[in-house]
Structure formats: C-alpha cells, structure tokens
Amino acid sequence: DAPAAGKVCNRFDLGKETELRFEVEAGEAAEQVELELVTGLAEVFGSELNRNKKYVFGAGSKIAVFTWQGCTVNLYGKPEVAYVSVETPMLLYLNTHAALEQMRRQAERENERGPRVMVVGPADVGKSTVCRMLLNYAVRMGRRPTLVELDVGQSGVSVPGTVSALCIERPADVEEGFSVQAPLVYHFGSTTPGTNIKLYNKLTSTLAEVFSQRCEVDVVLVLDHERLYNELKRDLPHFVRVVLLPKSGGVVERSKECRRDTRDEKIREYFYGFRGVTFYPFSYEVRFSDVRIYKIGAPSIPDSCLPLGMSQDDTQLKLVPVTPGRDLTYHVLSVSSAEDGEEGVRKGIVESPVCGFIVVTHVDTQTQILKVLSPAPRPLPRHTLLIMDIRFMDMK
Ligand code: ATP
C-alpha cells in the first residue's frame, strides 16, 4: 500500500455528522481516485472504513464518506468534484434503521418473522443506496437480512432484465458492494417493468412465495415523492407504515447513456469479472436442435381477436418459441433451471429461477448453429433458453 505515486493528495477534516462527496470522472481514460481514512471513524454507505487503507474507486463512481464522530480523510488523484456537505438525511436514515431494529427485537420476542420494508421513489433519489445502508446497519448488528432486487433496469445483484434475492451475511465491501454469491435470479427480459407488467407481478409474487408463502410488507419507505407517499398511505392497508424520507443532496442524476453504460458494464462483469477478479468466458457452438428458445409474452392483440375464453393476461405469460435467425445475434439469453422436457414442464419455466446467462455471438442459419459466449465450458447445463430484449456486444 505505498502512497499513490505522483497523485495529488487532498486532505479533508470532517466535522461530526458531515460527509465528503466525490465523483470520479467517467470514461475509459479516467484516473482512479483513492480514499484513505487517517483519523477518526467514517463509513461509505453504511460500511465502515479501516484506517490507513487505500480504497480505490474507478470511473464513474459517486461516493459519500460519512462520519458520525468526525474524521480526517485523504483523497489521492483528481476527482471530478469533491466537497463536504453538512446537510445530509443520514440521521433520518439511522432512525429508520433503529425503528426497524426495534421491530426485529419485538419479532424475536414473539417468535415472529422480522419486518419487511419496501423502498420506493422516482429515479435517482438514492433508493439502492438507502437499501445498502439499511442492510449494512442490520448486518452489523448481527442480523441476516435479505435484499430483494426488483429494479430490472439497474439491478445491483445480477445482470439487467432480472429480479433477484440475495441473503446478506456481511457488510458491503466499500469498493465492490455486497458479495453476490448464490443469488436467486429470475428472468424478466427487459429493462422496464412496463414491457410486461403481468410477468413482473408474477415474478414478484414468485419471489415473495419463495421467502414466506405470502408477501406482507410492514413498512414502505418513500424517498422524495410526496404524492406517491399520500397515495400509498391512502391505498395500502392500515397495518402498513408508510414513511416519507428526503433524498440526499449527494445523489447524482444519471443520464440515459450513463444508465445504458452501467447496464453494459454489469453484463461485462458477469462474463469477464470485476476489478481484481478476472474470469475467462468460453465461446462455443450450439446446434439449433439442441436448444429450445422462448420469449415470454406474445405481442398484444385486440381483445376482439383473442380466442374465446382467453384474456390479454394469458398472452403476457405465454411462452413463444423463437426460431433462431440472424436477429438473435448479440441477445442475452437466460438459461432456465427448469428441467429439460416436453410440453408438460413448459408451464413451470416462467417461475423457474435461471442458472446463468449466455450471449449469442453468431448465428449460422445454413449450418443451423449458434455461437455463444458462456461463463462455463460446454455443454449447456440446461437447454431451455429465454431471450431478453437486452443485447451485449462484446468488444474484447
Ligand atoms: P435508480 O433510479 O437508478 O434506481 P436510485 O434511486 O436507486 O437510482 P442510487 O443508485 O442509490 O439511486 O444512487 C444514484 C447514485 O448516487 C449512485 O451512484 C450513488 O453511489 C450516488 N449517491 C447516493 N447517495 C450519495 C451521496 N450522499 N453522495 C454522493 N453520491 C451519492
């Protein structure tokens, strides 16, 4: 851990309950920024910093170093912005944690399950960050919370186009976030719930069932959206506590391009690894006849054209066989964990978790062969594949 050679060093003395916010420039040429806690105590989104350790943040990182007691930190390199804020909603977030911890204690006394919390709000208000903090605080108290990720656009757990659940056993790594070992992942297929709301609801209930047979949310945290807060208070049953929380001024708005890049990066990480960990994916050929590819949801047709007794809802969950053609190239495919079999098992495919993802890199309709990028060597563990709208062009 030698001091970052030749890098500019800026020292910040932070008073209690303040935070240092900094952003690392985006883009490939961006210089990494290193953070070091010199004195006192500080945390990044609920994960405690070790003293005299250099934490490295890459292109596009947006970080807040918060201190309850006061501290001194060094920043090495040239962040795009770096400033200290004394106005943060952290105390409110900590109080939220304290209230949840009280509910957990009570649940423990009564031999009941702990509270369920849903975090909602518009884009860029810090929903994922608040989840990370609440999970970190809970796990630091010895709890074992579960993160259920319902954001199909910017999932923190798996590749985009999925919903998932992850048991949290230790605080998030300051640089890399939560360790994502063995998450439970379901295929959704696109980056906004609106493309197939019926499927989205189905997957949400499937996840809920896996955890407890029924999903009763006890607390809803609404970040920075007063109207949504009032509507939820009006519409949800009385036992649900709806709490309005302000967003942090530090949350940075992300452009469409930035979101697309983040999604791309997430897929790249899946195949090639992240930071210190490098994966070497495999590329191999698969015969058309060895796989069955489906898209979930048929295009909607006017009600008047639906077969008798069928509703639009049925079409949204329908498995539509996909004939491989050139347009399949670059599409991400989920490998369903559903047992390979005939018609009888097809029904379970939508509700089955996925065991991994592949990308189609080439389609040869003459020889009827697909070339795929896969995290594991051939053969495919299963032969039922679900196509996503999401594409990934491998530039390596
Ligand atoms: P989305 O609409 O994409 O779901 P979100 O509401 O979940 O977004 P986050 O992903 O939590 O928002 O936050 C957006 C960005 O702002 C992240 O890069 C996060 O690291 C950063 N961020 C959050 N809080 C702060 C803060 N207090 N200071 C600096 N950066 C922050």
Side-chain angles (χ1 to χ4, degrees):
D1 254 343
K7 283 198 173 177
V8 191
C9 172
N10 276 305
R11 177 164 287 215
F12 296 86
D13 290 311
L14 305 180
K16 69 182 188 38
E17 290 173 34
T18 66
E19 71 185 18
L20 166 67
R21 295 172 184 162
F22 65 92
E23 283 177 52
V24 186
E25 206 185 317
E28 303 232 323
E31 190 196 12
Q32 293 177 330
V33 171
E34 288 169 35
L35 164 73
E36 179 185 17
L37 173 67
V38 185
T39 62
L41 297 170
E43 56 185 46
V44 168
F45 304 137
S47 305
E48 273 189 296
L49 293 180
N50 290 328
R51 216 166 290 164
N52 300 120
K53 180 178 155 121
K54 295 209 179 61
Y55 296 93
V56 183
F57 297 95
S61 303
K62 301 171 189 9
I63 304 296
V65 186
F66 182 85
T67 177
W68 294 103
Q69 297 86 352
C71 72
T72 309
V73 295
N74 283 344
L75 274 192
Y76 301 93
K78 291 194 208 97
E80 200 168 17
V81 268
Y83 66 97
V84 176
S85 171
V86 293
E87 293 277 329
T88 81
M90 287 295 283
L91 203 55
L92 291 169
Y93 296 166
L94 186 71
N95 284 344
T96 308
H97 156 72
L100 293 173
E101 183 54 28
Q102 239 170 39
M103 291 170 83
R104 283 190 281 261
R105 291 212 178 122
Q106 188 175 350
E108 219 164 33
R109 281 195 296 272
E110 293 167 7
N111 238 340
E112 293 270 341
R113 60 158 179 76
R116 292 211 175 82
V117 188
M118 184 161 79
V119 180
V120 300
D124 294 323
V125 289
K127 299 180 294 297
S128 308
T129 307
V130 167
C131 290
R132 178 163 165 175
M133 285 191 273
L134 294 176
L135 289 162
N136 272 335
Y137 292 150
V139 87
R140 279 167 64 181
M141 305 216 56
R143 303 292 179 187
R144 289 288 173 273
T146 300
L147 166 65
V148 177
E149 175 64 88
L150 297 174
D151 187 343
V152 288
Q154 308 277 314
S155 167
V157 176
S158 188
V159 304
T162 59
V163 293
S164 49
L166 181 69
C167 288
I168 308 292
E169 295 185 325
R170 63 188 88 94
D173 182 275
V174 171
E175 297 160 325
E176 293 170 21
F178 290 112
S179 143
V180 277
Q181 272 163 7
L184 183 66
V185 183
Y186 293 90
H187 169 97
F188 178 67
S190 82
T191 57
T192 83
T195 45
N196 191 337
I197 202 72
K198 183 84 187 172
L199 175 61
Y200 187 78
N201 289 340
K202 174 102 201 162
L203 295 176
T204 310
S205 341
T206 305
L207 270 169
E209 271 166 37
V210 170
F211 282 96
S212 61
Q213 311 304 321
R214 66 208 161 114
C215 183
E216 284 171 351
V217 174
D218 309 287
V219 182
V220 177
L221 303 180
V222 184
L223 274 169
D224 201 51
H225 199 312
E226 214 172 329
R227 183 162 57 85
L228 180 63
Y229 163 73
N230 281 306
E231 284 171 1
L232 288 171
K233 247 181 39 173
R234 183 193 66 203
D235 297 341
L236 290 174
H238 285 306
F239 67 82
V240 181
R241 281 177 241 191
V242 187
V243 182
L244 180 65
L245 287 174
K247 76 165 183 181
S248 164
V251 182
V252 190
E253 264 183 43
R254 288 170 295 174
S255 62
K256 253 194 167 140
E257 292 72 38
C258 173
R259 282 169 191 275
R260 203 192 38 224
D261 290 350
T262 312
R263 281 200 285 271
D264 226 48
E265 197 43 44
K266 203 75 197 167
I267 302 176
R268 185 175 310 284
E269 277 171 24
Y270 176 79
F271 289 105
Y272 291 99
F274 183 53
R275 291 173 177 266
V277 192
T278 309
F279 301 150
Y280 299 93
F282 297 80
S283 177
Y284 57 85
E285 293 180 341
V286 176
R287 284 201 304 258
F288 287 6
S289 55
D290 285 343
V291 290
R292 275 178 293 271
I293 308 175
Y294 300 104
K295 176 172 169 47
I296 305 180
S300 60
I301 39 177
D303 283 342
S304 56
C305 301
L306 281 171
L308 202 64
M310 201 172 172
S311 71
Q312 285 297 353
D313 287 356
D314 301 325
T315 65
Q316 284 199 295
L317 295 180
K318 205 172 142 68
L319 284 173
V320 185
V322 175
T323 314
R326 290 264 288 283
D327 53 357
L328 199 62
T329 320
Y330 305 130
H331 275 272
V332 180
L333 305 179
S334 304
V335 181
S336 172
S337 67
E339 291 291 337
D340 297 323
E342 286 314 314
E343 292 302 297
V345 294
R346 272 182 49 179
K347 269 188 80 183
I349 292 174
V350 175
E351 298 102 316
S352 295
V354 300
C355 43
F357 306 92
I358 55 175
V359 172
V360 178
T361 52
H362 186 75
V363 182
D364 190 331
T365 44
Q366 292 265 296
T367 54
Q368 306 252 302
I369 281 175
L370 300 172
K371 200 158 180 208
V372 301
L373 181 73
S374 158
R378 94 175 80 201
L380 283 170
R382 291 277 196 280
H383 299 92
T384 303
L385 307 176
L386 300 171
I387 184 172
M388 294 214 186
D389 295 345
I390 301 160
R391 287 186 296 174
F392 175 69
M393 275 191 222
D394 194 4
M395 296 304 188
K396 285 230 167 175

